[in-house]
Amino acid sequence: NKTFLLFCCIVTRLITRVEYAGDIDSLRFALSLIDFNLLELRPHFPGYPIFCFFSKIIYFITRSIPLTFSFIGGISIYLTIIFTLKIWNLLFKSKPSYLKIFIFLNPLFWILSNRYMSDILGLSLVIIGLYYLIKFLNFNYESSLIKFLFIITLLMGVRISFLPFFLPAFLYLTFNISFKKALKSILILSFGISTWLLPLIYITGFKDFLNISFKHINGHFFNWGGSIISNNTGYVPRFISMIESILADGMGTWWTGRHWITILISIFLLILFLSFVQSIYLKKCNIRIEHSIMILCLFSYLLWAYFFQNIIYKPRHILPILPFLIMVFCIGVNNIIKQNIIIEKVIVLPGILCIGFLTLNLIIQHKEPTALSQIQNHMNDQNKDKIVFSSSILINDFIKHHKQSKKIIFEPKNSKFLEKYYNLGYTIFTTYNLDTRFKMNDKKTFYHNPYVNRLWPILNIYEYKLNTK
């Protein structure tokens, strides 16, 4: 059964692999397979050394960037399913209905399991780490504590931004384990982290590593990272974006402008949630320490994501919340099945089919290039010799990292040199409209579904050329 599940997870992700880098972060991860270099942002800070190490091994075998990331995505989904089931068994000691299907068909999980990023592997490590933590809280096995700490050291080298999820757990362990276990825990964490941190410092150079660390930590929180400090979006819009990320992106519910089938999914999930509430009320469950720690971990991560992550444009930052929301819905499903098996056929099965239809539609669209990748393809098709491209720093970097862009001159947005190039007969391409001094020859609009990738779903390319005749 597990072998078949593993086969399904890997094969389906390999079939739906994407043959392009959808955004600048994806491109940086893709480039890291060819030439890992933290100073050149391949990938961006903090380098994700554990993820890149294993990715390069798979890439050495497959010689294919899409196959490498999709293979890791398939393994990650499998691990997420298996260990979510294990957590369920520890917490509820019963068999969950449809949990495997919910995780397997989740639209955001599927998209990110094909994306050139480390998020989905990071999610699987969060789930594995939580399983061993709950096992330790339940049985006080020292081996479970050691495995939990080992997973934490891996998580820090795969997706360090998921680490705040475990902050309440660390606080609890600090005050509730013996001095001997605490000392051993510190040694395990120190050794585990040093196995990847020291090689990373050696490769990068100690001075350069310190400089890039301070620069990017400061940049993330205060300049470009999308935190509440660096982003001028208000508290309420950030909260609305977080809700949209969890429900619309994460669970496929309705949002403004979405397909009508998402209304059916919303109704379906609302019924499951009400069934969950009824189940909790009827059972009057006792809240044990592991339940409390898990709830606090979720709340801790929600606060971290809300205040310090880019939840406006990157729904992937809410990934650690989704498996537990799925468990809530599965409790609702179990309650429905116990009450009336007919309702399962009338409500649950059609609801699952709607989610499957939505996910299939999104992964088909995901295989098509994003608006940014379409612009890259458009620039590759230009046969002109004298070309200038002007856009934001991130978009410029994305275009210039492709081999076909060597003939293009890149200028920052609103560069004072654009008029000089224009008067010399260069063709100017921009992602923004220039003033009336420039004659527009053409305008093209590129777009993709924002629920495939919320970053730059609509982009325009303006073409300017001086008429010399």
Side-chain angles (χ1 to χ4, degrees), residues 6-237:
L6 176 62
F7 175 81
C8 290
C9 289
I10 292 176
V11 170
T12 53
R13 270 53 183 185
L14 292 178
I15 291 172
T16 57
R17 66 188 182 276
V18 294
E19 304 287 343
Y20 65 93
D23 51 42
I24 189 67
D25 289 341
S26 298
L27 178 65
R28 287 168 176 169
F29 272 106
L31 292 172
S32 74
L33 296 186
I34 301 167
D35 180 20
F36 180 91
N37 189 324
L38 190 56
L39 296 175
E40 298 292 332
L41 299 181
R42 299 193 296 265
H44 56 279
F45 185 83
Y48 314 87
I50 295 291
F51 177 79
C52 291
F53 175 77
F54 287 108
S55 298
K56 286 177 80 72
I57 292 174
I58 298 171
Y59 177 69
F60 178 78
I61 297 169
T62 64
R63 308 311 299 174
S64 167
I65 291 173
L67 288 177
T68 296
F69 286 101
S70 291
F71 181 81
I72 293 173
I75 294 290
S76 302
I77 289 296
Y78 170 77
L79 292 173
T80 300
I81 292 173
I82 293 300
F83 281 88
T84 304
L85 285 169
K86 288 177 177 286
I87 290 173
W88 178 285
N89 291 332
L90 283 177
L91 293 176
F92 309 115
K93 296 177 174 62
S94 64
K95 185 178 179 181
S97 299
Y98 298 99
L99 190 144
K100 291 180 184 178
I101 296 175
F102 270 111
I103 295 177
F104 184 83
L105 290 179
N106 181 273
L108 189 58
F109 289 172
W110 198 306
I111 287 172
L112 289 175
S113 63
N114 288 130
R115 188 85 46 90
Y116 301 172
M117 289 181 183
S118 67
D119 300 79
I120 204 70
L121 181 59
L123 172 66
S124 68
L125 291 175
V126 168
I127 299 301
I128 296 170
L130 184 64
Y131 166 71
Y132 286 115
L133 173 66
I134 293 173
K135 196 171 182 181
F136 172 72
L137 295 174
N138 256 327
F139 307 108
N140 200 30
Y141 294 153
E142 186 172 327
S143 60
S144 296
L145 177 61
I146 291 171
K147 289 174 183 176
F148 165 68
L149 296 171
F150 173 72
I151 294 298
I152 291 299
T153 64
L154 292 180
L155 177 63
M156 293 177 70
V158 171
R159 196 75 177 106
I160 198 170
S161 64
F162 288 171
L163 189 62
F165 181 94
F166 290 106
L167 179 60
F170 284 121
L171 291 174
Y172 175 83
L173 292 174
T174 300
F175 296 103
N176 289 277
I177 60 174
S178 66
F179 177 77
K180 183 180 179 181
K181 284 183 179 178
L183 184 60
K184 187 179 289 187
S185 298
I186 293 171
L187 290 174
I188 292 169
L189 286 172
S190 300
F191 176 76
I193 294 170
S194 65
T195 57
W196 56 261
L197 182 59
L198 292 179
L200 180 63
I201 294 174
Y202 176 76
I203 293 169
T204 309
F206 182 72
K207 186 177 178 180
D208 287 332
F209 182 80
L210 284 182
N211 289 336
I212 198 171
S213 297
F214 287 125
K215 176 184 176 182
H216 282 267
I217 290 171
N218 179 70
H220 175 83
F221 289 104
F222 299 104
N223 295 315
W224 64 73
S227 72
I228 202 158
I229 302 169
S230 63
N231 191 294
N232 58 10
T233 307
Y235 289 94
V236 174

Side-chain angles (χ1 to χ4, degrees), residues 260-272:
W260 59 265
I261 203 167
T262 58
I263 298 175
L264 299 180
I265 295 173
S266 302
I267 295 170
F268 168 57
L269 295 179
L270 178 60
I271 292 171
L272 297 188

Side-chain angles (χ1 to χ4, degrees), residues 7 17 152 157 177 183 224 240 276 309 405 433 444-445 447:
F7 175 81
R17 66 188 182 276
I152 291 299
I177 60 174
L183 184 60
W224 64 73
I240 292 172
F276 159 78
Q309 295 293 81
S405 302
N433 206 342
K444 293 185 183 296
T445 300
Y447 57 89

Side-chain angles (χ1 to χ4, degrees), residues 378 429 439-444 461-465:
H378 176 70
F429 292 92
K439 180 181 179 298
M440 187 191 301
N441 285 4
D442 194 17
K443 173 188 174 183
K444 293 185 183 296
I461 277 289
Y462 302 90
E463 181 181 337
Y464 302 89
K465 179 70 185 293

Side-chain angles (χ1 to χ4, degrees), residues 185-418:
S185 298
I186 293 171
L187 290 174
I188 292 169
L189 286 172
S190 300
F191 176 76
I193 294 170
S194 65
T195 57
W196 56 261
L197 182 59
L198 292 179
L200 180 63
I201 294 174
Y202 176 76
I203 293 169
T204 309
F206 182 72
K207 186 177 178 180
D208 287 332
F209 182 80
L210 284 182
N211 289 336
I212 198 171
S213 297
F214 287 125
K215 176 184 176 182
H216 282 267
I217 290 171
N218 179 70
H220 175 83
F221 289 104
F222 299 104
N223 295 315
W224 64 73
S227 72
I228 202 158
I229 302 169
S230 63
N231 191 294
N232 58 10
T233 307
Y235 289 94
V236 174
R238 282 184 74 86
F239 181 76
I240 292 172
S241 289
M242 188 168 71
I243 297 300
E244 182 183 4
S245 296
I246 294 171
L247 295 180
D249 293 273
M251 297 303 303
T253 64
W254 178 85
W255 206 265
T256 306
R258 296 205 79 179
H259 192 273
W260 59 265
I261 203 167
T262 58
I263 298 175
L264 299 180
I265 295 173
S266 302
I267 295 170
F268 168 57
L269 295 179
L270 178 60
I271 292 171
L272 297 188
F273 181 74
L274 293 175
S275 177
F276 159 78
V277 173
Q278 181 194 43
S279 175
I280 296 299
Y281 176 76
L282 291 175
K283 288 183 178 179
K284 297 180 180 178
C285 300
N286 294 322
I287 302 297
R288 302 193 302 272
I289 184 63
E290 58 266 28
H291 295 116
S292 301
I293 294 295
M294 189 177 76
I295 292 169
L296 288 173
C297 286
L298 289 169
F299 188 65
S300 170
Y301 187 80
L302 277 173
L303 288 177
W304 161 258
Y306 176 77
F307 285 105
F308 301 115
Q309 295 293 81
N310 189 352
I311 55 172
I312 302 296
Y313 299 112
K314 298 178 180 180
R316 55 194 173 89
H317 290 304
I318 56 86
L319 272 182
I321 306 301
L322 298 184
F324 306 97
L325 190 57
I326 288 172
M327 281 197 275
V328 165
F329 294 132
C330 285
I331 292 172
V333 172
N334 276 6
N335 187 47
I336 286 174
I337 294 173
K338 285 180 182 177
Q339 293 186 43
N340 195 325
I341 195 70
I342 297 175
I343 299 179
E344 176 189 2
K345 297 177 181 178
V346 175
I347 295 177
V348 179
L349 294 178
I352 293 290
L353 287 174
C354 288
I355 293 174
F357 175 82
L358 174 72
T359 300
L360 178 63
N361 185 57
L362 287 174
I363 60 177
I364 289 173
Q365 292 184 31
H366 189 218
K367 287 182 70 65
E368 297 298 320
T370 58
L372 184 57
S373 291
Q374 292 175 54
I375 286 178
Q376 169 63 42
N377 294 334
H378 176 70
M379 295 307 300
N380 289 346
D381 293 338
Q382 303 302 316
N383 294 318
K384 306 174 181 67
D385 293 326
K386 300 163 73 175
I387 300 175
V388 174
F389 185 88
S390 178
S391 187
S392 66
I393 294 174
L394 288 179
I395 293 178
N396 276 359
D397 282 347
F398 182 89
I399 303 297
K400 72 170 60 172
H401 272 100
H402 290 76
K403 292 180 180 178
Q404 298 89 339
S405 302
K406 291 181 179 179
K407 63 181 179 180
I408 300 174
I409 297 172
F410 290 89
E411 289 291 331
K413 189 174 182 180
N414 297 319
S415 168
K416 63 181 180 180
F417 298 110
L418 289 182

